Amino acid sequence: MTVKLAIIYYSSYGTNHQMASIAAEAAKAAGAEVRLLKAPETAPDEVVAGVDAWKAQAEKTADIPDATADDMEWANAYLISAPTRFGIMASQMRAFIDTLGGVWGKGGLANKPVSAMTSAQNMHGGQETTLVSFYTTVMHWGGFVVAPGYTDEVIFKTGGNAYGYSHTQGNEFTDEVKNAIGHQARRLVDVAAKLG
Ligand SMILES: Cc1cc2nc3c(=O)[nH]c(=O)nc-3n(C[C@H](O)[C@H](O)[C@H](O)COP(=O)(O)O)c2cc1C
C-alpha cells in the first residue's frame, strides 16, 4: 500500500516552509508519495507587499501549489505545519481547514493519521497550545492523532515537545532539529502504512 502524504504548511517568513520541506524529504526517503502544499494566503496583497520578508517568502514559494480539498481526499495521511499566532494556528491554515466541510461530509478526512508542527517567537509563547488545539480538529475529522510523544531520544534534545516538533525563532536548523522533524514524518508514514 502506497502512503500518500499531504504536507500542508503556512509560512509568512519561511520557518514552517523550511520545516515542511525537511519533513517532505524524510517522508519521500521513507517511501511515501508526497505532495508539499501551502495553505492559501488570505492577507490582502498590499499587506504582504508591505512587509519585505513576507513578500520575499511569497515570491520564493509562488510555484508551490495551494492545498485543495482534492488533495485532502487524495492523501491517506496529513502533516500540518503552521506558525503560532496568539496561541493557536495562523488563521491562513484555519481558513483552509474551514473550506473542508464538503470533503469532511463525504467522509474524506476520516480514518487517516495526522501529525502537526508549529513555530513561535517564544518557547512558552503557545507552541503546545497551538498543536493541542489543532488536534481537537483532527478528532472532529475522525482522524488519528500521531503525536511523536517521546518515541525517539532526539525529541529530548530539541525542546521536548511531545505534541509535535516546534521551532523557537532564532534557533538554528541543526542536524538534531532535522532529525526530530524527520522522525516525526517517518513515524507518520509508518503508522499510515500500518493502517493500510
Ligand atoms: C499576528 C502574530 C501573532 C503571533 N503570536 C505569537 C504568539 O502568541 N506567541 C509567539 O511566541 N509568537 C507569536 N508570533 C510569532 C510567530 O509565531 C512567528 O512569526 C512564526 O513562528 C514564524 O513562522 P513563519 O516563519 O513560518 O512565518 C506571532 C506573530 C504574528 C505575526
Side-chain angles (χ1 to χ4, degrees):
M1 174 255 175
T2 305
V3 174
K4 294 182 283 184
L5 175 64
I7 300 181
I8 303 173
Y9 76 90
Y10 174 75
S11 189
S12 296
Y13 306 116
T15 313
N16 286 270
H17 172 219
Q18 198 168 346
M19 291 158 61
S21 300
I22 293 166
E25 289 311 309
K28 281 182 203 163
E33 194 179 328
V34 175
R35 288 187 188 176
L36 179 65
L37 306 158
K38 57 189 193 306
E41 184 57 80
T42 59
D45 289 346
E46 61 270 26
V47 173
V48 176
V51 182
D52 289 346
W54 196 350
K55 182 173 175 237
Q57 174 64 18
E59 287 171 353
K60 183 176 154 190
T61 56
D63 60 334
I64 295 179
D66 282 347
T68 67
D70 285 347
D71 294 311
M72 298 299 279
E73 265 194 290
W74 165 83
N76 51 28
Y78 309 128
L79 180 59
I80 305 294
S81 188
T84 292
R85 294 272 167 87
F86 305 124
I88 58 174
M89 266 192 183
S91 63
Q92 286 86 347
M93 184 61 77
R94 293 298 325 178
F96 170 65
I97 288 169
D98 288 355
T99 67
L100 300 178
V103 64
W104 168 83
K106 292 191 281 181
L109 305 177
N111 304 323
K112 297 177 181 181
V114 189
S115 200
M117 306 186 288
T118 190
S119 70
Q121 188 68 39
N122 308 284
M123 182 181 287
H124 298 294
Q127 302 187 9
E128 293 172 57
T129 53
T130 295
L131 296 175
V132 171
S133 60
F134 170 70
Y135 290 144
T136 300
T137 293
V138 176
M139 288 184 258
H140 283 248
W141 294 352
F144 305 121
V145 172
V146 184
Y150 296 101
T151 52
D152 192 284
E153 64 179 17
V154 75
I155 294 157
F156 295 101
K157 296 174 182 168
T158 50
N161 191 336
Y163 306 100
Y165 176 71
S166 56
H167 195 83
T168 303
Q169 296 303 305
N171 288 352
E172 300 287 319
F173 277 89
T174 60
D175 285 346
E176 281 182 341
V177 166
K178 291 174 188 166
N179 286 342
I181 294 170
H183 170 68
Q184 185 170 348
R186 283 188 294 274
R187 187 160 184 272
L188 180 61
V189 171
D190 189 37
V191 170
K194 283 180 177 147
L195 284 169

